[in-house]
Amino acid sequence: MALVSCQLGRAQTLAQQHFNRSRVFSTTICKALGVNAYPTCTLERAVGEVAGSDDGLWKQGVFDGAVYPDLPIIGPAMNAGIESQIQKQIEDEQTDGWVVRTVAAQCLSEKDIHARMERVGKLVGRAEGKGAILCVSGGDPCRKMPFWKDRAKDSVYMLQHARKMKAQGLISANVSLWAVANPMLDSVDSYARKVDAGAEVFLTQPPFLPTSEEWFASVNQLSGDSNQAKILVGVPIITSQRNLDFWIRLCGLNAKESHIEGLKKSFPGKGSSPDVFERAVIDWNTDFLQRVAMRMPGISGIHAMPVTGMGRRLVVDILREAQVYMIERHTSIIGELDSGYTAGRYPSDTSSSALGATKSFGPHGAAKSFILGISPAFRASSTA
């Protein structure tokens, strides 16, 4: 038993090393090819009452971007406390990855929105250009009230003014502007307006409905500047029926829609032992991640959103297992790059074949070929 445990531990260590190495390698190649090295695997960080609960997860080095959400307005005093807490989290962050801070318009005045974006811009502004402001409208109920319905500012307004603030020097030119999209409810025009307003990267809601694929395909076929934004598809780590219900509500979906009912029925019940249930949860989420990665056209990576303790504990295992499957699609390309790395050709030599292979993935660029930083070496070690 001790020998088996030792071998398992060694295999997990090797898998982690290859996971981290290939992620760094993909970023290096993107830079060598002249591609803006946007992140390909970001993590929704824990804030508020659960702040710090994902520190161990983040320090594993699996993710190349940390996204700090903007919680709904609760009250001035409590919000101020959360704001200062998140600010300290970001200031104390020891990472060479991206740091992304969400700013929600909610029911704030123009003056307050501008002040907050300027403050956040200074917080995430970095010389190496790995800071971003995620502009969202917000889900405060007040936005639906008659008085605010036509007055509340939206993310397009925020993006437009953030771009002006960058031009004026109020926000560093290195700060990237991000936006969100719901592939099940948003129109393609909505996506295009956000790109025109300055959005460079999109984080999406989980594509629970089959119609999501059509949305991804449509935005991927847009021409001109609207085709240059990167898309990170949202992947929740579902750990219970209650957790799944939460995401369904958050995405604005009808729980009685036939596909959603089928999705709920497919989630494992808790009647079995804890170990068996955990294994079933990993399998369910791995299957969802595989279908997202394989079917959504034009994505540049994923945004992992584990909002429960169990989700934060299992997310890395789920990502690893999903990679073993996803690599089958890109074996020849990743294989060449991985062998080039082993032979010492990269990152100094970006051969024409590697460059051509990278460009072949279409308008969303190199990140598609490096989704999650997968490599054949990882597959070998993870199945040892």
Side-chain angles (χ1 to χ4, degrees):
M1 181 64 72
L3 179 60
V4 172
S5 177
C6 180
Q7 290 176 334
L8 178 60
R10 182 172 179 275
Q12 291 174 333
T13 300
L14 287 171
Q16 183 69 62
Q17 290 173 347
H18 284 302
F19 194 102
N20 293 339
R21 189 204 75 184
S22 55
R23 179 177 64 80
V24 173
F25 172 57
S26 69
T27 301
T28 304
I29 289 295
C30 284
K31 289 180 178 178
L33 295 175
V35 178
N36 194 346
Y38 288 109
T40 57
C41 189
T42 56
L43 174 68
E44 185 100 351
R45 294 303 307 271
V47 299
E49 293 181 356
V50 294
S53 60
D54 60 350
D55 285 352
L57 169 61
W58 173 247
K59 290 176 182 178
Q60 290 186 48
V62 170
F63 303 93
D64 53 0
V67 178
Y68 290 85
D70 193 323
L71 298 180
I73 294 176
I74 304 170
M78 189 169 291
N79 279 340
I82 293 175
E83 278 297 312
S84 61
Q85 177 195 81
I86 295 176
Q87 180 172 332
K88 188 176 187 307
Q89 281 181 269
I90 295 177
E91 290 174 342
D92 294 345
E93 197 72 86
Q94 299 295 320
T95 178
D96 61 353
W98 281 71
V99 175
V100 184
R101 177 70 173 104
T102 307
V103 177
Q106 304 291 14
C107 294
L108 299 176
S109 66
E110 292 183 16
K111 181 180 178 180
D112 287 341
I113 291 174
H114 295 175
R116 192 163 189 187
M117 288 198 295
E118 183 176 357
R119 185 169 62 251
V120 170
K122 292 178 181 178
L123 181 63
V124 302
R126 295 179 170 199
E128 62 270 30
K130 288 187 176 180
I133 300 175
L134 176 59
C135 299
V136 302
S137 299
D140 194 306
C142 76
R143 293 179 61 85
K144 297 180 181 180
M145 294 180 181
F147 178 78
W148 282 107
K149 196 170 184 180
D150 298 323
R151 293 177 174 81
K153 302 304 179 183
D154 60 13
S155 57
V156 173
Y157 169 88
M158 296 176 69
L159 290 164
Q160 290 171 337
H161 282 266
R163 186 163 60 179
K164 290 180 182 178
M165 293 171 74
K166 289 177 66 173
Q168 296 167 353
L170 298 175
I171 295 177
S172 170
N174 289 328
V175 173
S176 179
L177 301 180
W178 292 23
V180 297
N182 186 332
M184 297 161 290
L185 299 180
D186 289 356
S187 67
V188 175
D189 286 344
S190 172
Y191 170 88
R193 285 197 301 273
K194 291 179 183 180
V195 176
D196 292 342
E200 302 165 48
V201 177
F202 280 80
L203 304 181
T204 78
Q205 292 285 26
F208 286 132
L209 296 180
T211 53
S212 300
E213 186 172 356
E214 181 180 346
W215 183 90
F216 279 95
S218 296
V219 300
N220 193 44
Q221 292 171 1
L222 291 173
S223 59
D225 292 341
S226 294
N227 206 7
Q228 300 307 309
K230 309 300 178 185
I231 301 177
L232 304 185
V233 62
V235 178
I237 306 301
I238 306 298
T239 55
S240 67
Q241 284 285 353
R242 182 179 178 182
N243 185 216
L244 180 55
D245 288 338
F246 162 80
W247 279 105
I248 291 170
R249 290 194 304 272
L250 188 66
C251 293
L253 303 179
N254 180 3
K256 297 189 179 297
E257 196 272 337
S258 59
H259 185 81
I260 296 300
E261 287 187 334
L263 191 70
K264 293 176 66 174
K265 289 179 181 177
S266 71
F267 192 81
K270 285 190 174 183
S272 52
S273 68
D275 289 344
V276 173
F277 175 69
E278 182 171 299
R279 180 67 255 177
V281 167
I282 292 175
D283 290 343
W284 191 93
N285 283 277
T286 299
D287 176 67
F288 180 77
L289 178 53
Q290 289 169 349
R291 287 186 289 108
V292 166
M294 297 303 289
R295 295 185 182 181
M296 299 301 120
I299 62 171
S300 298
I302 73 161
H303 176 52
M305 301 178 286
V307 298
T308 66
M310 184 179 184
R312 288 186 280 271
R313 181 165 54 83
L314 299 181
V315 60
V316 172
D317 290 336
I318 292 166
L319 293 179
R320 287 173 177 159
E321 295 202 14
Q323 287 184 58
V324 175
Y325 175 75
M326 287 191 294
I327 192 170
E328 301 297 339
R329 190 178 187 188
H330 308 314
T331 296
S332 60
I333 294 171
I334 302 298
E336 177 193 349
L337 295 176
D338 193 68
S339 62
Y341 181 94
T342 303
R345 294 201 307 272
Y346 302 123
S348 59
D349 173 19
T350 52
S351 65
S352 59
S353 58
L355 179 59
T358 300
K359 286 186 175 179
S360 71
F361 280 90
H364 289 295
K368 177 72 178 282
S369 62
F370 298 112
I371 184 168
L372 299 182
I374 53 183
S375 74
F378 169 82
R379 177 172 57 172
S381 64
S382 65
T383 55

